[in-house]
Amino acid sequence: MESPPTEANGGDFFAARLLDWFDAHGRHDLPWMHPRTPYRTWLSEIMLQQTQVATVIPYFLRFVTALPELPTLAVTAPDEVLALWSGLGYYSRARNLHAAAKCCMAAHGGDLPRDFTALLALPGIGRSTAGAILAQAWGERFPILDGNVKRVLTRLYGIDGWPTAPAVEKRLWALAEAALPSSPATRPRMADYTQAQMDLGATVCTRARPRCDECPFTDTCVAKRESRTSELPTSRPKKIIPQRETRMLWLRDIEGRTLLARRPTSGIWASLWSLPEADDQDGIDRLVARHAHASEMPRGEALPPIEHAFTHFRLRIRPWRLDGIAPRARVGDNDDLRWVAPEAFAALGIPAPVRKLIEENTP
DNA sequence: AACCCGGGGAT
DNA sequence: ATCCCAGGGTT
């Protein structure tokens, strides 16, 4: 076949060549493949949302060691699940994972459902993740459309426009559907096919400097033929990122415990444990007065500001540290406020910059 | 359709 | 410094 597959002739050109490439050059030993159970597949797909493989691997291994099966996850305390997720980001993934596990216990006999609609109904599972789970765990014939597939398809077909824009995404879904394995040789290999797309995108059809000479589609790729691999996929529309600022109070008592506050259940770092915050130094002073005896109120010291970048804003954290406090009785220990010893930090979900601040300044 | 939600790897 | 990654949920 001389031309790339189209919506009309998708046939088996794409799958057959991709699988041949995968057999020789694909990744066959990522941690969630051995063993490749539905639970491990699901967990890996959630962790891999917007997160690169190398980042996920240590978190995945720690998570499945602590919670090796779905029923174990379902009965685990939310704080412990968040602790296992701590540092990985997008914490709603962990909360949704936990809620979905409970749902599987209540409605699906303790297993992940082998059904597209039922999977899609679980929190944290969208169309692409549902397809990835069905294809990889059970060999079901469903397409995926992640960042890798979007990149491969926009280049192979020369598709302009930001791939996340609804109109472009709709077209890409149609192409992904049309490219699915359809012959007796490829149809039984849905798990490999799904993995192969992601491997091609991650190792050959990379965002910068793609290795086109190693690509099985270098002869048919529109972007390659027109020298547009650096332009496709179209980058996201530029936006001005606002800068925000906050102050955090790092209060330690005479035993070296730190006062932590639970964050609100919505917004950034929802439900995680963090340092008490204030908008200005007056607010910090008021927090100190609330948690320390007036008779022993030292001034404390400013630590170097921390710059933390999110997708949609930048945050400057100005930490204020004060040691040797004798906590005021009854103020500091409830569901939203706790004095925590350094050894107990590991059991709590704590925002990455806050954990880093504390670790780097604790002897 | 636009926005919200983290952290880090790659360049 | 900038982009964006094995996306999904909410408004």
Side-chain angles (χ1 to χ4, degrees):
Chain A
M1 206 172 290
E2 294 303 322
S3 60
T6 67
E7 279 132 297
N9 79 350
D12 221 40
F13 165 87
F14 184 71
R17 273 210 194 176
L18 184 63
L19 282 165
D20 283 345
W21 173 85
F22 176 74
D23 288 338
H25 304 290
R27 295 175 292 189
H28 297 85
D29 46 336
L30 294 170
W32 38 90
M33 299 174 175
H34 312 293
R36 186 162 58 191
T37 66
Y39 171 67
R40 291 164 61 92
T41 302
W42 170 43
L43 175 63
S44 73
E45 287 300 327
I46 301 302
M47 284 189 166
L48 287 161
Q49 287 171 359
Q50 301 297 100
T51 312
Q52 296 181 351
V53 168
T55 301
V56 163
I57 287 176
Y59 285 89
F60 176 85
L61 293 173
R62 184 176 68 169
F63 199 103
V64 290
T65 299
L67 309 175
E69 294 180 327
L70 190 154
T72 315
L73 166 61
V75 300
T76 298
D79 268 340
E80 187 177 340
V81 178
L82 282 174
L84 290 166
W85 212 271
S86 188
L88 198 53
Y90 284 121
Y91 298 95
S92 64
R93 292 184 294 175
R95 284 188 295 277
N96 286 334
L97 188 82
H98 195 201
K102 288 179 180 294
C103 183
C104 289
M105 296 304 291
H108 302 294
D111 292 316
L112 215 53
R114 183 178 173 170
D115 175 83
F116 182 77
T117 304
L119 278 176
L120 204 56
L122 294 173
I125 298 181
R127 181 177 177 183
S128 187
T129 299
I133 293 169
L134 288 168
Q136 300 198 73
W138 288 292
E140 302 268 9
R141 191 170 181 272
F142 287 88
I144 60 169
L145 189 62
D146 64 354
N148 290 306
V149 179
K150 284 178 176 177
R151 192 166 52 252
V152 169
L153 292 179
T154 53
R155 282 177 174 160
L156 189 55
Y157 291 94
I159 294 175
D160 288 286
W162 184 40
T164 302
V168 180
E169 191 166 270
K170 184 178 179 182
R171 186 173 171 198
L172 292 172
W173 270 117
L175 291 171
E177 182 87 42
L180 284 174
S182 57
S183 79
T186 59
R187 170 65 187 83
R189 299 191 61 190
M190 274 307 304
D192 287 345
Y193 171 78
T194 301
Q195 185 62 42
Q197 294 173 87
M198 299 189 280
D199 287 356
L200 186 70
T203 66
V204 171
C205 195
T206 50
R207 183 165 67 87
R209 304 200 320 171
R211 299 161 175 81
C212 296
D213 52 337
E214 300 174 23
C215 179
F217 306 109
T218 189
D219 60 331
T220 60
C221 178
V222 172
K224 170 67 173 170
R225 186 169 69 236
E226 300 180 353
S227 300
R228 298 184 64 210
T229 54
S230 64
E231 303 169 17
L232 297 175
T234 305
S235 58
R236 83 155 52 230
K238 290 190 191 301
K239 284 195 330 185
I240 295 173
I241 304 298
Q243 173 87 40
R244 300 184 196 172
E245 184 173 310
T246 188
R247 296 169 191 249
M248 289 188 179
L249 173 62
W250 184 8
L251 218 50
R252 281 192 295 201
D253 68 9
I254 51 181
E255 295 173 12
R257 298 181 303 178
T258 290
L259 183 65
L260 294 183
R262 189 190 284 283
R263 295 186 55 82
T265 54
S266 65
I268 204 81
W269 297 327
S271 300
L272 270 63
W273 289 91
S274 184
L275 296 173
E277 282 185 54
D279 291 331
D280 50 30
Q281 190 62 35
D282 275 357
I284 291 293
D285 292 344
R286 284 195 294 274
L287 282 171
V288 172
R290 189 178 310 159
H291 296 290
H293 290 286
S295 60
E296 52 165 17
M297 229 167 35
R299 282 300 301 156
E301 55 170 336
L303 297 178
I306 300 165
E307 302 288 345
H308 193 71
F310 298 90
T311 307
H312 50 301
F313 67 93
R314 299 178 186 282
L315 182 65
R316 173 175 296 136
I317 301 170
R318 298 187 177 280
W320 186 265
R321 183 169 63 182
L322 208 162
D323 281 326
I325 290 300
R328 290 175 62 166
R330 312 168 58 79
V331 178
D333 262 309
N334 54 59
D335 285 347
D336 297 315
L337 217 46
R338 275 202 239 172
W339 290 92
V340 180
E343 311 86 71
F345 289 158
L348 296 175
I350 298 173
V354 176
R355 190 183 293 279
K356 188 177 174 192
L357 167 72
I358 292 174
E359 282 179 357
E360 288 181 352
N361 291 279
T362 299

